[in-house]
Amino acid sequence: MNRLVNKLLRRHVNAWQLAGFVLANLCGMAIVLTAVQFFSDLQPLLTGNDSFMRPGHIVVTKRVSTVGTLTGASPAFDDDEIDDLGEQPFVENIGRYTPAMFSVFATIGGGNLPMKFSTDMFFEAVPDEFLDVDLEKWTYDPETPDVPIILPRTYLNLYNFGFAGSQGLPTVSEELVGVITINLRLTGSTVLLKTGHVVGFSRRLNTILVPQAFMDDMNSQLAPGRQPQPSRLIVGVKNPADERIAAYLEEKGYDTEAADADASRAVSLMRIITSVVLAVGLIISVLAFYVLLLSIFLLLQKHTEKIDNLLLIGYTPGSVARPFHLLAIGLNVLVLLLALVIVVVVRGWYLPLFGELYASFEPTAFVLTLLTGLAILLLVSVLNYVAITRKVKAIWHMHE
């Protein structure tokens, strides 16, 4: 029976219709899978461990004016101002920068190292939930003198490409900085000696961060009775591109660090673009699905009488519909394989560009894209199976 039906298919199959389906579905599937893989590969650039804050967070400061400088007005935020900001509809959460209420003097190098630096420093801290670093390294134990530190990558670049060259000093890598011990002299109501290690760098970080637990402990020991006032706030916003944010900041005389705002907007824009591309790909895939169904339904319609005869002589609707099922599944599998090849080709083009933007970039696995393709294949195959089976049964019942 299968040979008979296959002969009927080969005789009346419209190759151009099936080719049109393959091409249309290939476009849709390739767009969807490429968008999924592209956004998956993009995540390390947007939310990698060297990103100081998760996307959707901006740093807010008070605007410094000449009058404020002359009158000695503090640029710190008070509780009422923080509460008012937290009540705004575009705000999700707020974190406070905690400044050090003590002085910090750091000595780097010496011993086996060919250079030695000593300088005054400053420390700040933010709640751990706002950080995007390896929390296993970002810990503070009061029983040990070692303190983890996050530095801006710009600090290292200024040294390597500015100071080192002019002073005839050697350049240093991030890996070398990470193993150098920093001797810290903390001075307040008393003097404490600590050591520190740099555990990470950030492109957007513009302060020297230590763990919140360490900052609270040191402030209580070295500045008892003094309450630190935050001069900067980390604000989690629902949509960084919300026009109400800029209007509110202007009204209150607040500023936001441009790099953080631009990065957050870039993340949101990238997600919107990816969503639009995915939607377009899915729409094309749905239209291609209907093209295939129409082609198979037309093929079934041409063989209505012959299929009815096969059913009348004892063949089941399932056995009659099987060749049509195999045709649909075969075309869908072909489309998936071709789409994966296209994704690999496109990925081979943009991955080197990501590597140039992000020195330690590591592409994500291909698993998510493959699972997405298989899910679409399974969904489309099931819908095809149901539609074809119902059509064959309708032909059977029509001639009962």
Side-chain angles (χ1 to χ4, degrees):
M1 194 280 296
N2 288 335
R3 288 184 177 181
L4 176 60
V5 177
N6 287 330
K7 287 182 179 180
L8 294 176
L9 286 175
R10 284 195 299 269
R11 181 181 301 176
H12 296 283
V13 164
N14 190 321
W16 290 108
Q17 287 180 343
L18 297 183
F21 158 76
V22 171
L23 181 60
N25 201 16
L26 178 60
C27 291
M29 182 75 80
I31 291 174
V32 171
L33 298 188
T34 301
V36 170
Q37 187 62 46
F38 178 82
F39 193 72
S40 178
D41 287 330
L42 193 65
Q43 291 308 298
L45 295 178
L46 304 179
T47 60
N49 283 340
D50 96 322
S51 294
F52 165 51
M53 292 175 300
R54 296 183 178 90
H57 292 87
I58 60 176
V59 174
V60 176
T61 62
K62 280 191 172 182
R63 191 169 298 160
V64 178
S65 63
T66 303
V67 175
T69 302
L70 295 176
T71 59
S74 173
F77 291 91
D78 58 37
D79 291 338
D80 291 338
E81 291 170 327
I82 296 174
D83 291 340
D84 181 69
L85 178 58
E87 292 173 357
Q88 300 306 309
F90 51 80
V91 173
E92 289 187 331
N93 55 357
I94 296 179
R96 308 183 184 200
Y97 276 78
T98 304
M101 308 301 292
F102 50 88
S103 62
V104 181
F105 187 77
T107 301
I108 305 172
N112 296 326
L113 295 175
M115 53 188 175
K116 181 178 181 179
F117 300 101
S118 296
T119 182
D120 289 308
M121 293 178 64
F122 66 94
F123 284 155
E124 286 186 297
V126 295
D128 290 350
E129 61 266 24
F130 287 92
L131 295 176
D132 196 13
V133 298
D134 187 354
L135 295 181
E136 292 183 0
K137 299 179 181 180
W138 193 247
T139 58
Y140 166 65
D141 184 359
E143 302 298 326
T144 62
D146 194 66
V147 181
I149 299 172
I150 294 179
L151 289 179
R153 182 169 277 112
T154 53
Y155 282 23
L156 185 61
N157 291 337
L158 285 173
Y159 169 79
N160 283 332
F161 306 114
F163 185 76
S166 65
Q167 301 298 317
L169 297 172
T171 58
V172 294
S173 65
E174 293 183 11
E175 292 76 13
L176 178 59
V177 174
V179 299
I180 294 176
T181 298
I182 305 174
N183 296 309
L184 303 171
R185 181 183 177 89
L186 313 180
T187 305
S189 59
T190 184
V191 176
L192 295 177
L193 300 180
K194 299 283 185 179
T195 60
H197 285 90
V198 176
V199 298
F201 292 86
S202 173
R203 286 187 173 88
R204 292 185 291 167
L205 177 62
N206 59 356
T207 189
I208 303 174
L209 279 184
V210 292
Q212 184 72 54
F214 169 79
M215 181 64 74
D216 294 340
D217 188 19
M218 293 300 100
N219 277 339
S220 65
Q221 294 187 48
L222 301 176
R226 297 178 61 187
Q227 183 65 33
Q229 296 295 322
S231 59
R232 290 189 290 177
L233 303 173
I234 298 179
V235 182
V237 294
K238 299 176 182 177
N239 178 14
D242 194 328
E243 296 180 354
R244 295 175 296 179
I245 299 176
Y248 178 84
L249 296 178
E250 183 63 29
E251 176 188 350
K252 296 295 183 178
Y254 299 159
D255 283 328
T256 180
E257 296 181 4
D260 297 318
D262 292 343
S264 296
R265 291 189 183 97
V267 173
S268 298
L269 180 61
M270 186 60 65
R271 287 175 175 167
I272 292 173
I273 293 174
T274 305
S275 299
V276 171
V277 172
L278 281 172
V280 171
L282 289 173
I283 291 173
I284 295 175
S285 296
V286 170
L287 294 177
F289 165 73
Y290 279 110
V291 170
L292 175 63
L293 277 186
L294 289 176
S295 299
I296 294 178
F297 281 0
L298 180 61
L299 188 62
L300 288 169
Q301 193 66 36
K302 289 180 179 179
H303 299 89
T304 298
E305 183 178 353
K306 297 174 183 177
I307 291 175
D308 186 56
N309 290 334
L310 291 173
L311 294 172
L312 290 175
I313 62 176
Y315 290 104
T316 64
S319 60
V320 174
R322 187 175 299 114
F324 300 99
H325 293 153
L326 294 177
L327 174 64
I329 293 175
L331 292 175
N332 289 327
V333 171
L334 175 63
V335 166
L336 175 60
L337 295 177
L338 293 176
L340 291 175
V341 171
I342 293 175
V343 172
V344 171
V345 173
V346 174
R347 195 172 186 238
W349 169 74
Y350 69 70
L351 282 184
L353 300 179
F354 285 2
E356 294 177 1
L357 294 174
Y358 189 50
S360 58
F361 171 75
E362 294 184 3
T364 57
F366 205 67
V367 177
L368 179 60
T369 301
L370 183 59
L371 291 177
T372 302
L374 291 175
I376 296 176
L377 171 64
L378 179 62
L379 176 62
V380 172
S381 298
V382 170
L383 293 176
N384 283 331
Y385 181 87
V386 173
I388 293 172
T389 301
R390 287 184 176 180
K391 183 65 177 178
V392 171
K393 289 183 177 180
I395 294 174
W396 186 18
H397 294 314
M398 183 175 58
H399 294 278
E400 284 181 344

